[in-house]
Amino acid sequence: MIKFIAGPCVIESAELLDTVAERLTAINRRLGTRIIFKASFDKANRTSLGSFRGPGIDKGLQMLADVRAKWGLELLTDIHEAWQAEPAGQVVDVLQIPAFLCRQTDLLVAAAKTGKTVNIKKAQFLSGADMRYPYEKALESGASEIWLTERGNSFGYNNLVVDFRNIPDMLAIAPTVVMDCTHSVQRPGAANGTTGGNREFVPAMARAAKAFGANGFFFEVHPDPDRAKSDGPNMLRLDDLEALVAELIR
């Protein structure tokens, strides 16, 4: 079964989580999918000090636990420091390693030791083949399941480009390779102290990744991306998610 991950970039409010979770639950019911709900309790790598980061680990994990209790969805969140792995692992099903941190040995080892699935995002400065080393760190540290995620490579300043050859290269390492269709259209730091993006290319990124063999798809979604507190320019509108998921599973 194709894996789908979707949700807001950061936890903005309980109301936002509820709105997105309700929609994902409905899509799962109608399409027979198992979309994993994603949201970050802390965005530790924002462009500027004044950027919104989220509610923090304690409140954020409780809000994610509330989503599971109400909607029965599987959960994914990212961690930035090794000590966060254990408490986050008590709440979520998948621990995500951010792209900038995918070579951080202590972070990978701590995530693996929780026994949860570990999703390692490929750094913007690494090739797909280079991901064998983060993968091996997590595997040798006892991870039960490891996914690798493509999210583009730095291409000069304030730009990313996706080399879709990375997908089959990573499939030679891990059985599950996810395409991060929304972060791959970012324009890092290109919007006067915030990250810009081109959300109109998200569906094409998904289709191209499927052609190259991706068996997982990651979408950050929001009811009103232009008013989102993080990553709005590259997030998919929540109303556009179901049709794209339906296309990818056909």
Side-chain angles (χ1 to χ4, degrees), residues 124 151-155 158-162 183-186 188:
Q124 298 89 329
R151 54 96 71 242
N153 283 83
S154 298
F155 189 68
N158 307 128
N159 201 16
L160 297 172
V161 67
V162 176
H183 286 100
S184 62
V185 300
Q186 281 182 330

Side-chain angles (χ1 to χ4, degrees), residues 17-234:
L17 298 189
D18 208 45
T19 296
V20 176
E22 182 178 21
R23 184 69 61 86
L24 298 188
T25 302
I27 294 171
N28 281 340
R29 183 177 64 251
R30 285 192 288 265
L31 300 182
T33 48
R34 285 174 51 195
I35 303 175
I36 299 169
F37 183 94
K38 180 271 172 186
S40 299
F41 56 79
D42 180 22
K43 300 299 292 183
N45 59 350
R46 297 305 306 275
T47 302
S48 61
L49 189 61
S51 297
F52 180 77
R53 289 183 55 170
I57 190 168
D58 293 332
K59 184 177 180 180
L61 289 178
Q62 182 57 60
M63 294 170 78
L64 289 172
D66 291 343
V67 169
R68 182 197 297 280
K70 182 173 182 179
W71 299 104
L73 291 165
E74 296 173 274
L75 304 173
L76 177 150
T77 199
D78 38 20
I79 56 174
H80 294 83
E81 299 180 64
W83 68 268
Q84 296 174 340
E86 194 275 332
Q90 293 183 16
V91 174
V92 305
D93 304 277
V94 184
L95 292 172
Q96 182 166 276
I97 307 300
F100 284 130
L101 302 178
C102 75
R103 292 178 55 168
Q104 295 296 104
T105 301
D106 290 346
L107 186 62
L108 289 164
V109 170
K113 287 184 175 179
T114 65
K116 298 295 183 176
T117 297
V118 180
N119 183 34
I120 311 173
K121 300 184 75 172
K122 182 183 72 61
Q124 298 89 329
F125 49 83
L126 292 179
S127 71
D130 289 329
M131 290 302 292
R132 63 173 287 195
Y133 303 107
Y135 180 89
E136 288 173 353
K137 287 179 184 180
L139 183 67
E140 293 171 15
S141 300
S144 59
E145 186 174 359
I146 306 164
W147 306 343
L148 299 178
T149 292
E150 167 64 37
R151 54 96 71 242
N153 283 83
S154 298
F155 189 68
Y157 299 116
N158 307 128
N159 201 16
L160 297 172
V161 67
V162 176
D163 180 352
F164 288 97
R165 296 173 298 179
N166 285 327
I167 292 172
D169 284 348
M170 290 194 289
L171 283 168
I173 301 166
T176 299
V177 171
V178 178
M179 180 67 202
D180 185 340
C181 303
T182 44
H183 286 100
S184 62
V185 300
Q186 281 182 330
R187 300 293 300 273
N192 297 317
T194 62
T195 291
N198 299 97
R199 75 171 69 96
E200 66 269 24
F201 298 126
V202 169
M205 286 290 182
R207 296 179 192 117
K210 184 178 180 183
F212 275 84
N215 50 15
F217 298 89
F218 180 112
F219 302 102
E220 286 192 334
V221 296
H222 194 283
D224 186 359
D226 291 332
R227 298 180 64 184
K229 294 183 178 181
S230 176
D231 275 2
N234 55 264

